[in-house]
Amino acid sequence: MPTKTKETTTKKKASAKKEETPKKAVKKTEAVVEKEEAIAKEVVVEKEPAVKVEEIVLESTELSNGPVIIDGEEITIEPTDKNAKYFSGVGRRKSASARALLFTRGAKEFMVNGKDYKEYFQTFDLQQKATGSLNKMKSLERFRVMVKVSGGGLTGQAEAIRLAIARALMDFSIDYRKRLKKAGFLTRDSRVKERKKPGLKGARRAPQFSKR
């Protein structure tokens, strides 16, 4: 019997010693800490996907589909084809012909034959004619506009650009048709100066009769 009590007391002492002895905290040097932080940063960088600078710019300059108030009505700008890279339209006036491309991504600029539209059209009146369709829909700063125009004079080219952009906007969203049609920007102006006739001063002006 006394032997059993000794064994139990020894077991209790051994268990008490195990509980009393805590684990020693390992002190890390500054060099070890810096190495671990560097390894952790490398792991995080490897996990993050590589994003190109061009993609970041495109994401920040995407078309904002916020509501716009036009003629007292609120319109949300949403393209009919969200997968389209651009929307195009062709316009003509007199002997001028223009093709306009509207991009929903990229820098918001208005280029005509490789130049800024304000540099191409020097006068304010021609600038207002060229941007008439965009100003009507309050979308001048919402698109990247690239226009190629040829033939005719500056007035004919400006009006041809206005028609081309109006058709491209209608291709972008059919909801624009009503307001552009009401403003007269979708109508092809077929008026051309009549040619001079032989024996007349102009197209129809006859020379003044002289009795003597």
Side-chain angles (χ1 to χ4, degrees):
M1 295 299 290
T3 55
K4 289 181 181 180
T5 54
K6 284 182 182 180
E7 289 176 359
T8 53
T9 52
T10 53
K11 285 180 181 179
K12 286 179 181 180
K13 287 180 181 179
S15 59
K17 284 181 181 180
K18 287 181 181 178
E19 291 175 359
E20 288 175 358
T21 55
K23 293 181 180 179
K24 292 182 180 179
V26 179
K27 291 184 179 180
K28 296 181 180 179
T29 60
E30 293 181 358
V32 174
V33 173
E34 289 178 359
K35 284 183 180 180
E36 290 179 354
E37 289 178 356
I39 293 167
K41 286 181 181 178
E42 289 177 359
V43 171
V44 172
V45 170
E46 288 177 359
K47 289 183 179 179
E48 290 179 354
V51 181
K52 295 182 180 179
V53 177
E54 295 177 358
E55 294 177 357
I56 296 171
V57 172
L58 291 177
E59 287 176 1
S60 61
T61 56
E62 285 183 359
L63 180 69
S64 56
N65 297 330
V68 177
I69 298 173
I70 302 171
D71 296 335
E73 297 182 15
E74 188 174 303
I75 301 174
T76 56
I77 298 176
E78 293 182 358
T80 51
D81 187 3
K82 294 183 179 180
N83 296 325
K85 293 182 179 179
Y86 60 84
F87 302 89
S88 64
V90 176
R92 294 181 179 85
R93 174 75 177 102
K94 296 182 180 179
S95 57
S97 179
R99 184 169 186 262
L101 302 179
L102 302 184
F103 296 86
T104 57
R105 294 186 174 188
K108 303 303 181 281
E109 57 186 2
F110 193 146
M111 305 297 289
V112 179
N113 290 349
K115 297 181 180 180
D116 186 73
Y117 80 100
K118 290 183 178 179
E119 183 182 353
Y120 191 85
F121 297 112
Q122 299 285 328
T123 63
F124 179 76
D125 184 34
L126 293 177
Q127 293 173 9
Q128 290 297 307
K129 284 183 179 180
T131 60
S133 301
L134 292 171
N135 290 332
K136 176 64 178 177
M137 305 311 297
K138 296 184 180 179
S139 302
L140 182 60
E141 297 180 356
R142 290 178 177 267
F143 295 99
R144 176 170 171 247
V145 184
M146 304 294 290
V147 180
K148 185 72 175 178
V149 64
S150 61
L154 291 176
T155 302
Q157 289 183 356
E159 294 182 5
I161 290 171
R162 182 178 64 189
L163 177 59
I165 293 174
R167 289 176 173 174
L169 285 172
M170 193 178 63
D171 186 27
F172 170 77
S173 177
I174 196 65
D175 296 335
Y176 287 176
R177 177 181 171 80
K178 179 181 176 182
R179 290 161 184 82
L180 291 171
K181 186 74 175 177
K182 188 177 179 180
F185 295 156
L186 288 176
T187 303
R188 162 75 161 96
D189 192 350
S190 59
R191 295 177 299 169
V192 182
K193 185 175 180 180
E194 192 176 349
R195 71 174 291 267
K196 180 185 179 300
K197 310 299 189 301
L200 301 179
K201 294 286 185 180
R204 302 188 184 190
R205 171 84 166 88
Q208 185 176 2
F209 171 74
S210 177
K211 191 173 183 178
R212 295 180 179 84

